[in-house]
Amino acid sequence: MDKILEAVVMSSYPNNVKQGLVRRVIEAAKQPMDSEQCWSMLELSTKLYLTGDTKYKREIGKEVLEVYGHYHPEEFEEFFNVRFLLSLLQEGYGPLGKRSHYVLDYIQLGLQFVLESPSANSIFSLLRIEVLRKVCERPSPKQCAKISKLLTQHPQCIPTGKHQLLFCQQLIRCIGQFQCVSEGEDEIMEFLEQVNKVSGLLQRIWRTQTSAILPSLKELFTIISSTEEQEAPSNALASVVQFVPLELMDGVIRNLTNDDSITDVQMMMAIGRMIDWVSWPLGKNIDKWIIALLKGLAAVKKFSILIEVTLSKIEKVFSKLLYPIVREGALSVLQYMLLSFQHSHEAFHLVLPHIPRLVASLKKEDSNSATSALEQLAELIHCMFFRFSGFPDLYEPVLEAVKALPIPNEDRIKHLLGQNAWTSQKNELACFYPRLASKSETGKIGLINLGNTCYMNSIIQSLFMASDFRHSVLNLTEGNSQPLMTKLQWLFAFLEHSQRPAISPENFLSASWPPWFTPGAQQDCSEYLKYLLDRLHEEEKTGKRICQKLKESSLMSQAVEHHYLKKTLIEKMFGGKMMTKIRCLKCLNVSSREEAFTDLSLAFPPSDRNMCGSTSILPVEEIGPQFIEPSDNAGQLMGSPWIQRKAPMASDHATPPVSVETLGFQEPENAANPLCDNDVGVDSAKDPLSTFGEQACAPKDSRSVPDLINYFLSPERLTAENKYHCEKCASLQDAEKVAELTEGPHYLILTLLRFSFDPRTMKRKKILDNVSIPVVLKLPILVAPEETEEEVCQRGKDGAVPGSGFMTVVYDLCSVVVHSGISSESGHYYCYSRECTDTVPHGQPQDGMPKPASDKQLDFEIQWYLFNDTRVSFSSFESVSNVTSFFPKDTAYVLFYRQRPGRQSCLLHEALPEAGRLHGEPSLHKDLMEAISKDNILFLQEQEKEARNRAAYISALPKSPLWWRDLDRDKDDDSSSGGCSPAAGGGGSSSFHGLVF
């Protein structure tokens, strides 16, 4: 019968004819027959099953074996003996070089017919040893899956005792070497199924033998932490972790992170490879294990590992959000990585450029998974905006991308940041910040935040960018007996000449620290600036004077020189004078008092006050960006308002005020503001008050700096409880109080009083009104009738004709300090700055009129920079103007304007130190130059050492495919990486919807 069956199978008959003949043979096999015939048929069916070159032949062999197993059990048991199985397992079946791949399938098929036989135990014992040996030989995923299928169906064959533990460990090593050699969808699915069968076997063993779990995990960690492997272990190892009971997690992580035998490099390797597991599509709880290990490392303060791993892996994790099948786990890991990385903006800024594309992709996907991911991503982004404010240029595209998504409230943001931070002790991370490799491309140097010291950093950078002040400070000689000014000189010198990307202002902070400030708490930058300037002024004033190289000039009279020399540097640079006048409305007697100032504090008008109806003494007009061309009456004196008019009565029409001009680049939404009209200056000359009163009013929800200046300079009625005691009348009388500027500072500092006390909450609240900022400001300065032309020049006025009236001084915007937040006790400070220099050459044009150098537009002629602690970047005035529009909590707080030299301000500039002429940076004294040189050498040595240390870490990090291909891929492009290629460590295909490796 075996000859007949073989002849039929090998014949060239059609399969349907063969099938009929085979059925007859099989039916005949169900009848009793002698032992020899059975052996012949079993040998033939074994041959067909194991070496058949077609699926049809193997199916026939299987059917015959099953028939003989059922109907001839004794003969089958005799044939299917231990010796035969041992031969199959050790030597294989078939000719050399073509051994059958179906031996395990054959054994699994035959086992079902010998389970009750006397030889069953011997067969099981044999298989327990042989499957262990097979696993130690590292079979392919397919063969390993067959072993797992065999053992799952026949658990009697699973190794026992010590061999069982060894079997689990070796099986994990097998999984670590699994690689999918094809990127076809069917092949990938087959590979995943094979991995699932193998890891499922481990789960079965662990359920019955829990003592095998921890040794198995130890073997797993040994594999992923190894630094000696030529090829990275497969991501298929993720399938092992998913079956570990979560109740064991805390103990496992605690043991790992407290094991002194595990080096940092090994731990770095292990956590890096675990993070790669987020791309394994079948893993459950993988994200929980990754996050638990990251938290465990934070608990033992392994911050260097956490930083390196986060920065090297976060972009890859982010890219996996594109794939629905791994999105949930990847998003969990991403959330923890970003929310815990709070000492620096580096990690967030790595993924920042890719957010708009990801958001667009998720919106296009339009699935429940994508919608949920978008909402969680938006919440995460706003947390990062809150934590790392001060990067408006970088954040604007991202804010635009997520503007339609829900915004979490501040309590939710603080909760998320609070529960995920690595440590509550900021000083524990001080040595890891900043991690900047080189100087900013701007050439400028940042300042390290020493713990909520951004208020100081923004002020220091603004003062440093005030070039005339910086040059004067740098020009100080040794032994000037001004310790605080000397420390400022050293800080400025390092900001100018250091090779470091950022320097620490620790020494200057300790020297300039206001004694009432709380260490580590956020402070008011305006309060700090006032204290600093006052300290510097008093230090010089009390005898520790600056040794300047001010020489006699034929252009300067001795009187003017004496007047100038008696001023301190702070007075020269930031000092102005203001006259406060109070006029009794009964007797018209005027009392006046002149006082010095270094900044003007501009309050916001009450919300119920209509700025359009204000009868300001000094109305402000704004002109859009243009070339400043002097008007024909540039030197004309305008009369003092009180000299020209009588006391206003209720029935009188208001008297026209003096015109004060500002020129500014307004935001688009404020374009309708008549203050921006180029013709306002002409109209106001005809009827200044009507122009201001009817037209010069910003939109209801917007204000401008001129609005606040007008409010500051507008008359104030003193009535009722505020009546004025008139000395002439010898009684309380209604009066009018007005402030007038009598001397314009070289640098005008304006503080917008955004913080007001709320009696209901007993806290200082912030006024979040958007205030448009002019790039050029014209201020009126009162000229006394008796002043000489030289005195007018020295006092910084733009008019030289003696007489009683107001003269115009032009100021250019050079710095804007921005506060981000809703309270003065919290938030963040950063600043925009540019170096305003003279646009008029020293010496006068032939026509005697100042003209702009190179005819550049004022608002764009000088590069703007954004200073945010250690980070310095290029910016623009457009960004300055729009920052509050994009980020409502980011508002301008302190403004620096520099006086523009005019025809009559030349003597003031001639009187400045030679270092302030901007003919190059002043030369520093020897000790300072040596200190900078030594620090630059030290920095290079630190860089070399850090590079070596980081190389040890980075080389330990597992290699992964180019993550950015996931984000840059085209939907129809199959060339993107991923896949199950060896380089991917067991990957996937971009064409295979959502399966990535």
Side-chain angles (χ1 to χ4, degrees):
M1 189 179 291
D2 57 304
K3 301 295 183 183
I4 296 173
L5 179 60
E6 186 174 13
V8 170
V9 172
M10 299 301 177
S11 70
S12 58
Y13 294 133
N15 282 349
N16 59 337
V17 175
K18 289 182 181 181
Q19 192 64 33
L21 296 173
V22 169
R23 295 255 57 90
R24 292 182 184 181
V25 173
I26 290 176
E27 286 300 322
K30 295 178 181 179
Q31 304 303 318
M33 63 178 63
D34 58 58
S35 178
E36 185 180 349
Q37 185 63 46
C38 284
W39 270 79
S40 297
M41 287 298 291
L42 287 170
E43 286 179 343
L44 176 60
S45 58
T46 298
K47 178 181 177 182
L48 290 173
Y49 187 88
L50 291 175
T51 61
D53 55 1
T54 64
K55 186 177 180 181
Y56 175 71
K57 292 178 182 179
R58 292 195 297 274
E59 287 295 330
I60 291 176
K62 178 182 178 183
E63 285 188 53
V64 174
L65 284 168
E66 289 175 338
V67 167
Y68 278 85
H70 278 295
Y71 294 96
H72 307 281
E74 293 180 1
E75 287 79 4
F76 188 90
E77 181 183 342
E78 186 181 352
F79 178 81
F80 200 78
N81 58 64
V82 171
R83 182 177 296 179
F84 175 58
L85 294 180
L86 182 61
S87 173
L88 285 177
L89 290 167
Q90 292 190 353
E91 300 175 11
Y93 189 94
L96 287 174
K98 292 185 179 181
R99 296 297 192 190
S100 174
H101 299 294
Y102 300 100
V103 169
L104 291 170
D105 305 88
Y106 176 81
I107 293 173
Q108 181 180 341
L109 176 64
L111 274 177
Q112 60 185 313
F113 303 113
V114 298
L115 294 176
E116 304 299 330
S117 68
S119 62
N121 287 333
S122 299
I123 293 175
F124 295 154
S125 296
L126 170 68
L127 290 176
R128 290 188 197 108
I129 296 173
E130 286 301 308
V131 293
L132 177 58
R133 182 183 62 80
K134 282 280 186 184
V135 168
C136 290
E137 292 176 353
R138 306 289 181 265
S140 66
K142 188 172 184 179
Q143 291 299 308
C144 216
K146 288 181 178 181
I147 293 174
S148 300
K149 184 179 179 182
L150 170 64
L151 299 184
T152 302
Q153 188 170 344
H154 301 289
Q156 308 94 321
C157 302
I158 297 175
T160 58
K162 293 182 179 180
H163 287 170
Q164 185 179 82
L165 177 56
L166 180 60
F167 177 78
C168 290
Q169 293 173 329
Q170 293 301 316
L171 200 59
I172 290 173
R173 287 206 169 266
C174 282
I175 297 174
Q177 294 191 355
F178 284 178
Q179 302 293 346
C180 183
V181 295
S182 173
E183 293 189 1
E185 184 170 334
D186 291 339
E187 290 81 0
I188 292 175
M189 289 299 296
E190 183 182 5
F191 174 74
L192 293 176
E193 187 178 354
Q194 291 163 358
V195 174
N196 218 26
K197 285 179 180 177
V198 179
S199 58
L201 174 62
L202 279 171
Q203 181 190 24
R204 183 185 181 96
I205 296 173
W206 289 347
R207 279 178 181 170
T208 58
Q209 195 70 31
T210 56
S211 61
I213 297 177
L214 293 181
S216 298
L217 289 180
K218 186 175 181 180
E219 188 70 18
L220 173 64
F221 186 82
T222 301
I223 295 170
I224 62 175
S225 64
S226 173
T227 60
E228 300 174 358
E229 297 289 338
Q230 292 285 333
E231 191 172 354
S234 170
N235 283 349
L237 285 169
S239 64
V240 176
V241 177
Q242 65 181 329
F243 295 123
V244 179
L246 292 180
E247 54 266 25
L248 297 178
M249 181 183 289
D250 289 344
V252 170
I253 298 300
R254 195 181 308 112
N255 289 337
L256 278 179
T257 54
N258 289 283
D259 189 341
D260 293 335
S261 66
I262 300 174
T263 67
D264 284 357
V265 173
Q266 289 174 321
M267 186 62 77
M268 173 91 69
M269 183 68 77
I271 187 61
R273 285 170 173 164
M274 284 182 68
I275 291 174
D276 287 342
W277 291 351
V278 297
S279 57
W280 182 255
L282 299 179
K284 297 177 183 177
N285 300 326
I286 302 301
D287 56 322
K288 294 182 176 64
W289 281 95
I290 294 172
I291 293 171
L293 183 51
L294 291 173
K295 287 182 176 179
L297 291 171
V300 295
K301 307 189 187 312
K302 296 283 189 179
F303 299 127
S304 58
I305 297 176
L306 290 167
I307 290 171
E308 291 294 348
V309 167
T310 301
L311 295 179
S312 63
K313 293 295 182 180
I314 195 165
E315 291 173 288
K316 184 177 181 183
V317 173
F318 181 84
S319 71
K320 300 312 171 189
L321 299 183
L322 289 166
Y323 304 96
I325 198 168
V326 298
R327 181 175 293 149
E328 184 179 357
L331 185 56
S332 295
V333 175
L334 179 73
Q335 285 173 321
Y336 179 76
M337 292 174 88
L338 284 178
L339 290 172
S340 62
F341 203 94
Q342 293 186 33
H343 70 288
S344 165
H345 52 72
E346 275 185 282
F348 178 50
H349 285 190
L350 284 175
V351 302
L352 200 63
H354 314 299
I355 292 176
R357 281 183 290 172
L358 175 65
V359 170
S361 178
L362 292 176
K363 287 180 178 178
K364 187 177 180 180
E365 184 181 313
D366 193 26
S367 65
N368 290 337
S369 169
T371 301
S372 175
L374 277 172
E375 292 176 355
Q376 294 179 69
L377 186 63
E379 182 177 71
L380 182 60
I381 289 169
H382 283 290
C383 286
M384 294 296 98
F385 283 170
F386 182 88
R387 179 64 187 87
F388 304 115
S389 55
F391 301 93
D393 295 350
L394 290 179
Y395 292 170
E396 282 180 17
V398 177
L399 192 66
E400 181 69 21
V402 301
K403 64 181 180 182
L405 299 172
I407 300 175
N409 59 44
E410 188 166 330
D411 289 340
R412 170 67 176 166
I413 290 174
K414 289 180 177 177
H415 171 71
L416 290 172
L417 291 171
Q419 72 177 8
N420 287 287
W422 284 339
T423 174
S424 59
Q425 304 300 319
K426 295 178 181 177
N427 58 347
E428 291 184 320
L429 287 165
C431 59
F432 300 108
Y433 183 73
R435 287 177 27 76
L436 301 174
S438 59
K439 234 172 158 179
S440 161
E441 62 181 356
T442 64
K444 304 296 182 183
I445 297 174
L447 290 170
I448 295 174
N449 190 316
L450 302 172
N452 279 331
T453 58
C454 53
Y455 67 91
M456 179 190 72
N457 290 349
S458 58
I459 291 299
I460 294 300
Q461 294 286 20
S462 297
L463 292 174
F464 177 79
M465 293 296 283
S467 53
D468 297 334
F469 177 64
R470 179 179 76 243
H471 290 144
S472 296
V473 172
L474 291 176
N475 200 50
L476 295 177
T477 58
E478 293 182 82
N480 54 64
S481 301
Q482 298 180 74
L484 184 58
M485 186 66 83
T486 300
K487 282 183 167 59
L488 182 63
Q489 180 190 41
W490 278 62
L491 183 57
F492 277 6
F494 273 80
L495 284 173
E496 186 77 48
H497 299 288
S498 177
Q499 293 301 314
R500 295 180 182 272
I503 60 175
S504 171
E506 186 173 3
N507 289 337
F508 188 76
L509 174 65
S510 60
S512 64
W513 183 275
W516 61 90
F517 276 15
T518 304
Q522 185 60 278
Q523 305 293 343
D524 187 329
C525 75
S526 174
E527 186 178 4
Y528 174 77
L529 175 61
K530 288 182 175 71
Y531 176 79
L532 174 62
L533 295 183
D534 186 61
R535 277 276 310 276
L536 293 171
H537 167 69
E538 291 298 326
E539 190 176 75
E540 180 180 356
K541 186 179 177 182
T542 54
K544 303 168 185 176
R545 300 184 58 85
I546 300 174
C547 300
Q548 299 187 61
K549 296 178 181 178
L550 186 63
K551 298 178 180 179
E552 293 185 8
S553 170
S554 58
L555 297 175
M556 183 184 298
S557 68
Q558 288 190 357
V560 172
E561 182 179 0
H562 175 73
H563 177 83
Y564 191 78
L565 277 174
K566 71 180 181 181
K567 287 188 173 185
T568 66
L569 178 60
I570 299 303
E571 287 178 310
K572 295 171 190 173
M573 292 296 169
F574 304 103
K577 290 184 179 179
M578 179 169 55
M579 182 78 71
T580 302
K581 298 179 180 179
I582 302 178
R583 179 174 57 180
C584 174
L585 295 182
K586 181 179 180 181
C587 67
L588 302 185
N589 180 60
V590 177
S591 64
S592 60
R593 176 170 55 91
E594 189 176 52
E595 54 187 351
F597 68 87
T598 53
D599 80 311
L600 297 180
S601 298
L602 305 180
F604 283 71
S607 56
D608 58 349
R609 171 161 178 168
N610 186 352
M611 290 300 295
C612 292
S614 170
T615 55
S616 169
I617 286 289
L618 303 172
V620 178
E621 44 183 301
E622 298 192 25
I623 304 175
Q626 63 172 16
F627 302 122
I628 300 299
E629 295 292 350
S631 58
D632 293 337
N633 59 348
Q636 180 180 335
L637 288 165
M638 302 179 188
S640 171
W642 279 353
I643 292 174
Q644 292 183 358
R645 65 179 182 136
K646 63 178 181 179
M649 304 297 292
S651 59
D652 290 347
H653 293 291
T655 306
V658 176
S659 174
V660 180
E661 302 176 31
T662 67
L663 294 87
F665 180 86
Q666 298 298 315
E667 301 170 63
E669 59 265 33
N670 296 338
N673 185 349
L675 292 175
C676 305
D677 193 336
N678 290 354
D679 297 328
V680 169
V682 178
D683 294 338
S684 62
K686 299 175 183 175
D687 191 352
L689 182 59
S690 64
T691 299
F692 177 74
E694 295 176 11
Q695 297 183 2
C697 181
K700 187 175 181 180
D701 59 346
S702 174
R703 300 184 187 277
S704 66
V705 169
D707 289 338
L708 303 188
I709 296 177
N710 283 337
Y711 181 58
F712 178 81
L713 297 177
S714 63
E716 177 186 359
R717 286 295 180 101
L718 305 178
T719 60
E721 295 180 355
N722 293 325
K723 281 189 176 183
Y724 165 68
H725 185 273
C726 177
E727 293 182 359
K728 189 173 182 180
C729 297
S731 61
L732 294 174
Q733 298 291 337
D734 288 346
E736 190 175 50
K737 177 182 178 182
V738 70
E740 295 173 337
L741 301 179
T742 58
E743 183 174 326
H746 186 61
Y747 282 100
L748 173 67
I749 301 175
L750 302 177
T751 300
L752 312 188
L753 298 179
R754 290 190 173 274
F755 302 109
S756 60
F757 183 75
D758 187 347
R760 292 176 302 172
T761 61
M762 301 300 290
K763 293 181 179 179
R764 293 176 74 194
K765 66 177 183 179
K766 181 178 177 181
I767 301 171
L768 295 172
D769 293 6
N770 191 1
V771 177
S772 60
I773 304 170
V775 72
V776 179
L777 183 69
K778 282 189 175 182
L779 282 185
I781 304 297
L782 181 65
V783 180
E786 66 277 8
E787 283 189 295
T788 66
E789 182 171 344
E790 284 186 342
E791 288 172 329
V792 168
C793 171
Q794 181 274 322
R795 288 162 67 87
K797 297 171 182 133
D798 204 12
V801 181
S804 180
F806 286 91
M807 306 307 297
T808 299
V809 175
V810 180
Y811 284 91
D812 293 309
L813 180 68
C814 54
S815 287
V816 178
V817 177
V818 177
H819 177 263
S820 175
I822 60 172
S823 167
S824 62
E825 288 82 24
S826 64
H828 180 64
Y829 289 99
Y830 57 94
C831 74
Y832 293 93
S833 290
R834 63 173 182 166
E835 288 200 57
C836 287
T837 55
D838 296 349
T839 56
V840 181
H842 292 285
Q844 299 305 311
Q846 291 182 356
D847 58 3
M849 305 304 293
K851 292 185 179 180
S854 306
D855 288 339
K856 294 180 180 178
Q857 285 191 309
L858 291 172
D859 51 336
F860 297 120
E861 66 181 352
I862 302 174
Q863 177 66 55
W864 282 89
Y865 302 94
L866 174 56
F867 295 88
N868 187 356
D869 289 336
T870 56
R871 184 179 184 274
V872 188
S873 58
F874 291 115
S875 190
S876 65
F877 184 67
E878 182 180 8
S879 178
V880 180
S881 302
N882 294 333
V883 63
T884 308
S885 302
F886 281 99
F887 305 93
K889 294 178 183 177
D890 291 28
T891 53
Y893 184 38
V894 179
L895 313 178
F896 286 73
Y897 281 90
R898 178 184 184 271
Q899 185 181 143
R900 181 182 298 180
R903 181 180 62 185
Q904 270 68 42
S905 62
C906 59
L907 296 183
L908 173 66
H909 287 263
E910 288 294 337
L912 288 175
E914 291 180 4
R917 292 174 178 254
L918 304 183
H919 294 312
E921 296 299 327
S923 58
L924 305 177
H925 57 77
K926 183 179 178 182
D927 288 350
L928 186 49
M929 285 301 298
E930 287 181 356
I932 295 172
S933 178
K934 287 180 180 178
D935 186 70
N936 285 338
I937 294 173
L938 178 62
F939 172 65
L940 293 176
Q941 294 171 344
E942 291 172 358
Q943 289 291 90
E944 292 175 4
K945 183 178 179 180
E946 182 183 357
R948 287 194 296 269
N949 292 340
R950 291 196 70 225
Y953 279 124
I954 296 301
S955 62
L957 287 171
K959 302 295 186 294
S960 52
L962 301 179
W963 58 267
W964 57 82
R965 292 186 181 175
D966 291 326
L967 287 165
D968 293 334
R969 66 181 171 84
D970 187 287
K971 292 290 185 183
D972 300 320
D973 181 11
D974 292 341
S975 64
S976 65
S977 176
C980 300
S981 62
S989 170
S990 62
S991 63
F992 183 33
H993 308 291
L995 278 184
V996 287
F997 296 89

